[in-house]
Amino acid sequence: MAAARPWPVLLALLLAAGPGPGPGPVPAGGYFPEERWSPESALRPPRVAVALLARNAAHALPAALGALERLRHPKERTALWVAVDHSVDNTTALLREWLVRVRGLYHRVEWRPMEEPRSYPDEEGPKHWSPSRYEHVMKLRQAALESARAIWADYLLFLDADNVLTNPDTLGLLMAENKTVVAPMLDSRAAYSNFWCGMTAQGYYRRTPAYLPIRKRERRGCFAVPMVHSTFLLDLRKEASRALAFYPPHPDYTWAFDDIIVFAFSCRQAEVQMFVCNREVYGFLPVPLRSHSTLRDEAESFLHVQLEIMVKHPPAEPSPHVWVPPKVPDKMGFDEVFMINLKRRADRRERMLRTLYEQEIACKLVEAVDGKAMNSSEVEALGIRMLPGYKDPYHGRPLTKGELGCFLSHYRVWQEIAARGLEKSVVFEDDLRFEIFFKRRLMNLMHDLEAEGLAWDLIYIGRKRMQVERPEKSVPRVRNLVEADYSYWTLGYVLSLRGARKLLAAEPLAKMLPVDEFLPVMFDKHPLADYTKHFAKRDLVAFSAEPLLVFPTHYTGEEGYVSDTETSVVWDDEATATDWDRAKSQKMKEQQELRREAQNSDVLQSPLDSAARDEL
């Protein structure tokens, strides 16, 4: 019997040791059942209501809804409040289709369609904000707020129908800030965003030095501001949120009759501070258009938002629950649209092809010559010889293999233009971004040019203007066109059959220099006579779009910048690297300054040049 005594001690030790290592909390041990317990389960995610107000937004909704669906918050803990009013497009039908398909995924759906009327009696057009429109939107926002309170939502996310939240963690990140009113800073193509840093005594926008450092993310954090709008989160658990309202305005309200200003005043009266956060990239929004703009302008403006997203982020894919009209690409009236791309740059190729497709531009893909893969014997076999005495004007270095490949790529396009007898063609490189209204602007430019009967060989649509001491000469009776002076880059240009033949007739392979130095030589604007003297016939007729229609996707020093021309090796010496174009390069330090200085103020302007606002 004495041998059985150690067992209670052993049992106690085993119980104290627990079940051993493993995932999750370890239950507490105990000899008696009432001494044993399991830890409490985690809290359920907060209840979120999303308020979406849409008017004439059929062009933007597929992308905006797709982004909404991708937010990482449980749909069964999310309620949707959706309203449509005064729309002349397909907005109502599109949203109805979407809600029917997703309502089983979300906790609750409230649908407020308004088929008639399709316009406000006091508005001048669909982009005009009249007093009756402001009042109606205020009432809708108030209804959304009251609905969220009625279902005991913890948070209410206001989301404009053309705002795209590309960051799926946006909701969680905003909740973690623990603010009553907080907005994710949204990016646009300009200085515009969804917050103000200053407000006048009358409630209007005031420009302040604090705005741009936040907008450019030179300062990062969560900042107290007097105004947020478009997309923002309300924490309805906060006691002070009970005093917030959109309609009717506060009894002491005397500012402009505007829904965002009315709400900002309400926050001020309730002593609720608004915040904007820019710690992450949360999403994008379009720059507001002028009141005279059309629905076509608005659709193309949102298209540009989608293109800008693709510069540094994956595409904003549309919701799979809505029908998206198929694109019908064309060549914009040109005989051919060439897009030059290195085979090993698949990322650029995919982005550029998608970008062109979204703009309904059909192109022919041209496999670029990879200069880095060429050996000396291949170069000699092509009869290539360096221009005697050539050195890069800024770096003092000879031609690189990357520049050699770039030249040969364009040269082969010129050969094809000549061989096929193409009267007018567009040539794109694969590292560019398009300006807003690109396709319409280019087609309008070509129409005006042809209507005037102007003879031309080359038209830059993207370049870096190198001569900025004097303005370039504008072209009479043709909008947005100047006579090109000394310029760099071959991002994008229009070339005529006659122009291609002139370039080929110069026999440039026997006196090689970079293609963006060769072109100014051919229209006799290169500043160095040591180079121009080798080309007897320099009669290329060259112009440039003004303002430019394409720009580089990245500038030197920016995250993601890669050069296949200058970060290379010397064309005839594979042992000599030429990584001279980084931040220390004087040539590249001048890039941003050149872009700003190189404006020609006397050029005839198109109405599209002033269709959109900037900071406001």
Side-chain angles (χ1 to χ4, degrees):
M1 294 296 292
R5 290 178 182 175
W7 278 104
V9 177
L10 179 60
L11 180 61
L13 290 173
L14 288 172
L15 289 172
V26 179
Y31 182 78
F32 297 103
E34 58 268 23
E35 294 176 334
R36 295 192 294 271
W37 57 273
S38 296
E40 294 292 331
S41 62
L43 291 173
R44 299 184 70 189
R47 298 180 296 268
V48 176
V50 178
L52 182 73
L53 282 65
R55 185 195 182 198
N56 295 319
H59 58 278
L61 280 169
L65 296 176
L68 174 59
E69 292 171 29
R70 288 187 290 272
L71 290 178
R72 291 194 184 108
H73 191 79
K75 290 180 174 56
E76 67 272 13
R77 303 289 288 175
T78 304
L80 300 176
W81 189 97
V82 182
V84 181
D85 72 289
H86 300 81
S87 289
V88 297
D89 67 357
N90 199 38
T91 296
T92 304
L94 189 154
L95 277 172
R96 182 181 290 114
E97 173 193 7
W98 180 71
L99 289 171
V100 166
R101 294 187 178 185
V102 304
R103 64 184 175 185
L105 303 175
Y106 288 89
H107 171 67
R108 184 174 185 270
V109 170
E110 185 169 343
W111 170 229
R112 293 201 174 194
M114 184 179 184
E115 303 281 0
E116 297 291 342
R118 297 196 168 197
S119 62
Y120 292 94
D122 55 347
E123 72 177 6
E124 299 171 4
K127 295 305 299 175
H128 176 228
W129 280 86
S130 63
S132 62
R133 181 179 181 184
Y134 276 122
E135 183 173 15
H136 187 71
V137 168
M138 280 186 262
K139 290 179 179 179
L140 287 176
R141 291 193 184 277
Q142 182 65 27
L145 178 56
E146 292 173 359
S147 175
R149 287 169 174 161
I151 63 172
W152 299 100
D154 297 311
Y155 293 92
L156 172 57
L157 176 70
F158 279 101
L159 177 67
D160 276 6
D162 58 1
N163 290 189
V164 182
L165 296 177
T166 55
N167 189 332
D169 295 317
T170 296
L171 264 177
L173 293 169
L174 293 181
M175 291 176 187
E177 297 293 344
N178 193 27
K179 309 294 185 187
T180 307
V181 180
V182 61
M185 190 191 80
L186 301 181
D187 290 278
S188 76
R189 65 180 177 84
Y192 177 78
S193 189
N194 59 321
F195 71 98
W196 298 0
C197 274
M199 184 182 283
T200 68
Q202 294 76 36
Y204 290 107
Y205 177 82
R206 180 169 62 87
R207 187 184 295 265
T208 71
Y211 183 85
L212 285 179
I214 295 174
R215 173 64 185 85
K216 294 178 178 179
R217 291 190 174 84
E218 294 168 357
R219 296 178 62 209
R220 287 180 181 258
C222 203
F223 302 95
V225 293
M227 165 71 75
V228 295
H229 59 85
S230 300
T231 292
F232 54 95
L233 185 71
L234 302 185
D235 187 344
L236 300 180
R237 303 170 307 166
K238 305 280 190 181
E239 183 66 27
S241 72
R242 297 174 61 188
L244 302 182
F246 289 91
Y247 191 88
H250 190 278
D252 297 333
Y253 187 79
T254 58
W255 293 353
F257 202 59
D258 181 312
D259 60 305
I260 64 173
I261 301 177
V262 166
F263 188 67
F265 186 87
S266 176
C267 289
R268 178 179 292 191
Q269 294 300 107
E271 298 183 348
V272 170
Q273 177 63 61
M274 289 179 158
F275 289 86
V276 66
C277 293
N278 70 351
R279 303 185 203 274
E280 310 275 347
V281 175
Y282 301 99
F284 293 77
L285 80 171
V287 176
L289 300 181
R290 304 288 182 182
S291 60
H292 62 263
S293 300
T294 65
L295 293 183
R296 179 188 179 188
D297 295 337
E298 189 170 26
E300 291 182 15
S301 174
F302 184 78
L303 169 62
H304 190 260
V305 173
Q306 295 175 286
L307 302 185
E308 285 294 287
I309 290 172
M310 286 189 280
V311 171
K312 297 181 181 179
H313 307 275
E317 298 294 355
S319 166
H321 301 293
V322 297
W323 179 77
V324 179
K327 302 286 185 178
V328 185
D330 59 55
K331 296 180 181 179
M332 304 181 289
F334 294 95
D335 297 307
E336 192 60 270
V337 178
F338 296 95
M339 197 273 281
I340 300 172
N341 166 259
L342 277 170
K343 188 175 182 179
R344 57 184 166 86
R345 294 292 185 201
D347 55 336
R348 290 184 178 182
R349 178 169 61 253
E350 291 169 8
R351 184 197 70 84
M352 192 66 178
L353 289 175
R354 177 69 178 268
T355 297
L356 291 169
Y357 173 77
E358 293 294 340
Q359 296 177 92
E360 299 189 279
I361 299 173
C363 76
K364 178 178 181 180
L365 183 62
V366 177
E367 185 175 329
V369 177
D370 195 342
K372 294 181 181 180
M374 297 181 70
N375 57 41
S376 300
S377 59
E378 288 178 294
V379 173
E380 291 177 9
L382 291 171
I384 296 172
R385 298 288 183 272
M386 176 82 76
L387 183 77
Y390 172 76
K391 286 186 178 180
D392 181 274
Y394 284 85
H395 302 132
R397 57 157 173 77
L399 194 76
T400 70
K401 277 199 169 184
E403 289 170 331
L404 172 63
C406 180
F407 194 110
L408 290 176
S409 302
H410 286 271
Y411 187 82
R412 290 182 178 179
V413 170
W414 306 339
Q415 286 179 314
E416 181 171 341
I417 290 172
R420 292 172 57 190
L422 304 176
E423 289 295 335
K424 56 179 181 179
S425 303
V426 184
V427 183
F428 292 126
E429 293 181 345
D430 64 359
D431 55 348
L432 58 84
R433 66 205 304 169
F434 293 89
E435 268 291 80
I436 188 172
F437 308 127
F438 167 79
K439 185 175 181 179
R440 196 165 15 144
R441 279 176 153 176
L442 180 56
M443 293 177 71
N444 288 348
L445 174 60
M446 297 306 298
H447 176 270
D448 289 355
L449 185 148
E450 290 167 2
E452 186 61 23
L454 189 68
W456 61 276
D457 296 323
L458 172 80
I459 302 171
Y460 287 103
I461 55 176
R463 60 170 178 157
K464 180 169 69 169
R465 182 178 161 202
M466 301 302 292
Q467 186 286 113
V468 295
E469 296 174 356
R470 57 187 181 278
E472 292 171 312
K473 185 179 178 182
S474 62
V475 178
R477 297 180 299 279
V478 179
R479 294 175 297 183
N480 307 120
L481 195 66
V482 295
E483 295 180 9
D485 211 316
Y486 182 37
S487 304
Y488 269 0
W489 297 347
T490 48
L491 295 172
Y493 57 91
V494 180
L495 188 63
S496 70
L497 175 59
R498 186 181 68 171
R501 287 171 174 166
K502 288 181 180 181
L503 297 174
L504 296 171
E507 299 182 347
L509 300 190
K511 38 200 172 182
M512 178 74 77
L513 72 169
V515 65
D516 58 355
E517 298 276 14
F518 172 63
L519 293 179
V521 167
M522 290 301 294
F523 56 82
D524 206 25
K525 292 293 185 180
H526 201 288
L528 298 181
D530 288 344
Y531 300 167
T532 60
K533 69 182 181 182
H534 294 279
F535 299 88
K537 202 167 185 181
R538 303 186 298 275
D539 59 349
L540 195 74
V541 182
F543 298 95
S544 176
E546 178 71 28
L548 295 170
L549 302 180
V550 298
F551 291 95
T553 54
H554 300 81
Y555 289 94
T556 306
E558 288 185 343
E559 183 180 353
Y561 171 79
V562 177
S563 171
D564 288 309
T565 56
E566 300 188 53
T567 51
S568 180
V569 295
V570 173
W571 76 290
D572 59 352
D573 182 1
E574 297 181 15
T576 305
T578 63
D579 192 9
W580 284 299
D581 71 330
R582 297 299 179 185
K584 294 182 180 179
S585 163
Q586 182 63 29
K587 170 183 174 182
M588 295 304 175
K589 280 182 179 179
E590 295 175 358
Q591 261 176 184
Q592 298 288 9
E593 287 78 7
L594 284 168
R595 179 177 172 183
R596 181 170 299 172
E597 293 170 4
Q599 300 298 314
N600 295 294
S601 58
D602 61 342
V603 182
L604 286 175
Q605 297 294 302
S606 160
L608 293 176
D609 297 335
S610 59
R613 294 176 285 177
D614 185 15
E615 187 173 330
L616 256 183

